[in-house]
Amino acid sequence: MCRVVDLQQAVLAKNDTTAQHLRTELARRGTAVVNLLSSPGSGKTALLERELVLARETGVPVAALTADLATENDATRLARSGAPVKQVLTDGLCHLEAHMLSGHLDGWLPEDTRLLFVENVGNLVCPASYDLGETLRVVLASVTEGEDKPLKYPTAFGLAHLVLVTKADIAEAVGFDEDAFRAHVEQVNPGVQVLLTSARSGAGVGALLDRALDAANGAPVHRPVMARQHPSPHTHAHAHTEHDADGRDRPRTHAGRGEQAAAPGASGAAAQTRA
């Protein structure tokens, strides 16, 4: 058991080292990374498209990299903004890692990029464990997902620098309890800002871009209590199954930090790559 835990810790330590190197290198060239985490279907692609359009209209050099297990649907949608967009297929892996992001940026990311938005794989468990060298980590949750989402996924929400509520235009129709949601966020991440948005109505559109630019320009970013108290959270392993060429199942394991209890090229072109 100790050897397994040691291996998991080594994987995460290696990722953190790579992430810090990437953060330093991107900062040198004036690029800030915004890591977007959410469940599938939260509406983060729709909101990100609106933010990319606004960035282009206001002259902010932006790019987006979006990760999925399969299809390039999100990249096709985001490319409509006119921003440089790249699709990454993770081949079954439920999150991005720092070395994957770094490898896909080489030779693609325009030199003048001010903000790089990374749309992580739709998942609130695995991606929460991996630093991507981001300047700003944003967790999104739609009004249809339930007010207890922050309590169910305390690591994702507990390590966020900013929380966005999406699909706010239908909040009343689905009976979303905003006060309860805010209270649950505050329980796992005291002091983090929570903003309501709607890609459909336009409410709150631009807030993400504003916060990202503030962070890129050196404004203080919220420092989660969980990050201060648990710099090296406990780890766990997720076992996945792959198939060999002969059709037999083969286990594949990757490490992730466990859920913790709360502590008070071309512009417009989508390129498909495989991690």
Side-chain angles (χ1 to χ4, degrees), residues 16-181:
D16 289 345
T17 298
T18 303
Q20 185 54 47
H21 176 76
L22 180 60
R23 182 179 290 109
T24 301
E25 175 60 23
L26 289 174
R28 182 191 62 78
R29 54 188 281 182
T31 301
V33 175
V34 182
N35 186 7
L36 304 176
L37 287 73
S38 79
S39 300
S42 68
K44 67 178 178 294
T45 304
L47 181 62
L48 180 54
E49 183 181 355
R50 293 289 301 267
E51 299 286 347
L52 292 175
V53 169
L54 181 60
R56 297 274 294 174
E57 291 174 348
T58 54
V60 179
V62 292
L65 182 146
T66 181
D68 275 306
L69 276 67
T71 82
E72 53 182 308
N73 294 348
D74 287 352
T76 300
R77 292 172 59 188
L78 294 178
R80 296 183 305 203
S81 68
V85 176
K86 187 170 191 178
Q87 178 77 54
V88 174
L89 300 183
T90 64
D91 197 23
L93 196 62
C94 62
H95 63 276
L96 283 173
E97 297 179 12
H99 75 92
M100 297 163 61
L101 177 60
S102 179
H104 287 296
L105 299 185
D106 288 343
W108 167 73
L109 187 67
E111 285 293 331
D112 67 342
T113 302
R114 187 69 179 122
L115 296 174
L116 170 62
F117 289 94
V118 177
E119 185 179 14
N120 220 313
V121 180
N123 186 333
L124 282 176
V125 181
C126 310
S129 303
Y130 289 85
D131 182 3
L132 298 183
E134 66 260 26
T135 302
L136 190 69
R137 175 177 290 210
V138 182
V139 174
L140 301 89
S142 72
V143 297
T144 60
E145 295 179 59
E147 297 82 2
D148 61 347
K149 186 69 72 175
L151 303 181
K152 289 184 175 182
Y153 300 96
T155 299
F157 284 89
L159 293 176
H161 300 132
L162 175 68
V163 175
L164 298 182
V165 177
T166 59
K167 306 182 183 181
D169 56 302
I170 60 171
E172 184 176 356
V174 300
F176 177 68
D177 188 335
E178 181 183 343
D179 290 339
F181 180 84

